[in-house]
């Protein structure tokens, strides 16, 4: 009997990370899904993350961290409104300062304890919101910091920060996941859902998701407030 | 009237970070002290951190994160004993996986929200416990990841991760802090204190601290269980 290699996968409850989880499963990893209750406005994504992890047969852990302690984002400060899609140039108000740096740091810690060398994250450079912490240069720099900041450096190996969606369009991501049997009805992407978890249909994240399903020719299972 | 530059300082409640805080104050920064309630065995250090921050006139925030969710260290898993000083080669059991990676990531997030470019950390390469995340190569790699994972990259500047104790002996650190008026009686270093917060006198951290005061010729204010 062989032991499966372990991987830590950042799972938000969104479309992208559900696809990443399916890719890690396809690659034969034992799955350790990590989510964060960070004070996000769209907290309903945590139930989606649990459902996505359960559907993939992953062990799932939700870490609570209070990024509202300092805010600085439309997602972690109720005084900052979620912008409409395409309403501003540059890094949008939904950018959460250093979020992926924090998330990957926790993933590295869990990986070190588990003896896992692979960490998966659903960052993307094509249909994305312009966040600096989703770019390949950041992922490469993080991998080096993780190597040097853990026992990996003394044992002469490196963490593999796997970002398999990096260069895919939203439509390609949806086709990839659909082929792997991902049930996107379990996922949620909206930054500004209503109390019932229905998507607003107007934020950046809704726009990217809706256009992705249309371009992929896959029926959009999203529950919108306004159809 | 000029506005002071802001700095985020990681403050554990120990001797080193109290000295770093005093150095940041000497350098004229407006002080934002950050501590972590991470499930550490020596949780009494959090009261020390608050006292150290108050004495320096710093704004102080304690972030709660549950590193016991995965353990992997004598400090975050009660099933792992705190080793006696000098009892093992290599990275000791008190190493907490990726701890400084996580701490610095939060510090970067707070700095980004504050508009601070300086982050202070009390890592050291001389009288220290052999942790990989206390070495200069890690600090440099982290600074690059922080730059690339935040808006700094688009604005063409870098965080300064200041580690002013990096190359000082424990005795030099104590002399530096004493000259700056640090009250080391407020600090605690022991990994295995008793319920009253008294130091065990036998762990790595106690040994380094005790030898440091002796070498510095400064009276040791530590309350030990056994004198």
């Amino acid at each position: 009997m062989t032991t499966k290699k372990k991987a830590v996968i950042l799972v938000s409850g969104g479309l992208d990370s559900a696809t990443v989880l399916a890719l890690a499963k396809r690659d034969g990893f034992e799955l350790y899904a990590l989510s964060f209750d960070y004070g996000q406005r769209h907290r309903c994504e945590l139930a989606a993350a649990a459902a996505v992890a359960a559907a993939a047969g992953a062990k799932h852990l939700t870490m609570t961290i209070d990024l509202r302690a300092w805010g600085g984002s439309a997602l972690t400060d109720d005084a900052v409104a979620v912008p409409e899609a395409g309403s501003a140039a540059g890094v949008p108000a939904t950018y959460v300062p250093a979020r992926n740096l924090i998330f990957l740091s926790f993933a590295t810690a869990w990986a070190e304890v588990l003896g896992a060398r692979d960490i998966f994250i659903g960052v993307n450079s094509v249909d994305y919101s312009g966040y600096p912490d989703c770019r390949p240069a950041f992922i490469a720099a993080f991998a080096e910091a993780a190597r040097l900041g853990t026992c990996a450096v003394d044992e002469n190996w490196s963490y593999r920060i796997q970002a398999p969606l990096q260069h895919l369009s939203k439509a390609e991501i949806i086709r990839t996941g659909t082929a792997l049997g991902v049930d996107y009805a379990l996922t949620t992407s909206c930054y500004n859902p209503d109390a019932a978890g229905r998507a607003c249909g107007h934020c950046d994240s809704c726009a990217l998701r809706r256009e992705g399903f249309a371009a992929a020719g896959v029926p959009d299972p999203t529950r919108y407030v306004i159809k």
Side-chain angles (χ1 to χ4, degrees), chain A:
Chain A
M1 200 179 88
T2 55
T3 306
K4 277 177 144 183
K5 280 187 304 177
K6 296 170 180 172
V8 175
I9 305 96
L10 293 173
V11 173
S12 67
L15 181 162
D16 293 338
S17 63
T19 310
V20 169
L21 187 63
L23 286 165
K25 185 174 185 173
R26 179 204 66 187
D27 291 348
F29 287 99
E30 189 178 329
L31 307 171
Y32 292 82
L34 181 58
S35 304
F36 293 86
D37 183 351
Y38 63 92
Q40 62 268 58
R41 180 189 286 265
H42 52 311
R43 203 170 171 283
C44 65
E45 71 173 5
L46 291 171
V52 164
K59 181 173 164 67
H60 183 230
L61 197 151
T62 299
M63 180 66 62
T64 299
I65 58 178
D66 180 20
L67 298 188
R68 287 190 178 246
W70 42 68
S73 166
L75 301 189
T76 54
D77 183 344
D78 292 333
V80 183
V82 174
E84 302 273 300
S87 58
V91 175
T94 50
Y95 166 69
V96 178
R99 181 173 56 183
N100 282 346
L101 186 62
I102 292 171
F103 288 2
L104 284 171
S105 296
F106 278 102
T108 301
W110 198 15
E112 184 163 24
V113 175
L114 290 168
R117 296 188 180 192
D118 292 83
I119 294 166
F120 284 77
I121 182 169
V123 291
N124 179 267
S125 309
V126 183
D127 290 338
Y128 85 127
S129 299
Y131 301 156
D133 56 351
C134 290
R135 300 175 193 157
F138 165 64
I139 298 299
F142 182 84
E144 182 63 357
R147 181 179 80 83
L148 290 165
T150 61
C151 291
V153 63
D154 291 341
E155 296 164 4
N156 286 308
W157 55 271
S158 295
Y159 289 96
R160 284 178 291 268
I161 312 294
Q162 300 214 34
L165 311 186
Q166 189 80 66
H167 303 293
L168 301 184
S169 69
K170 194 64 91 184
E172 288 169 327
I173 293 168
I174 290 167
R175 280 196 214 103
T176 300
T178 301
L180 291 169
V182 173
D183 179 3
Y184 287 121
L186 299 178
T187 70
T188 175
S189 300
C190 179
Y191 288 147
N192 204 16
D194 72 0
R198 290 177 304 182
C200 76
H202 296 293
C203 69
D204 251 7
S205 191
C206 274
L208 287 168
R209 179 180 169 111
R210 199 204 293 257
E211 289 159 19
F213 277 107
V218 170
D220 181 353
T222 309
R223 295 181 302 128
Y224 291 103
V225 173
I226 303 155
K227 277 289 186 189

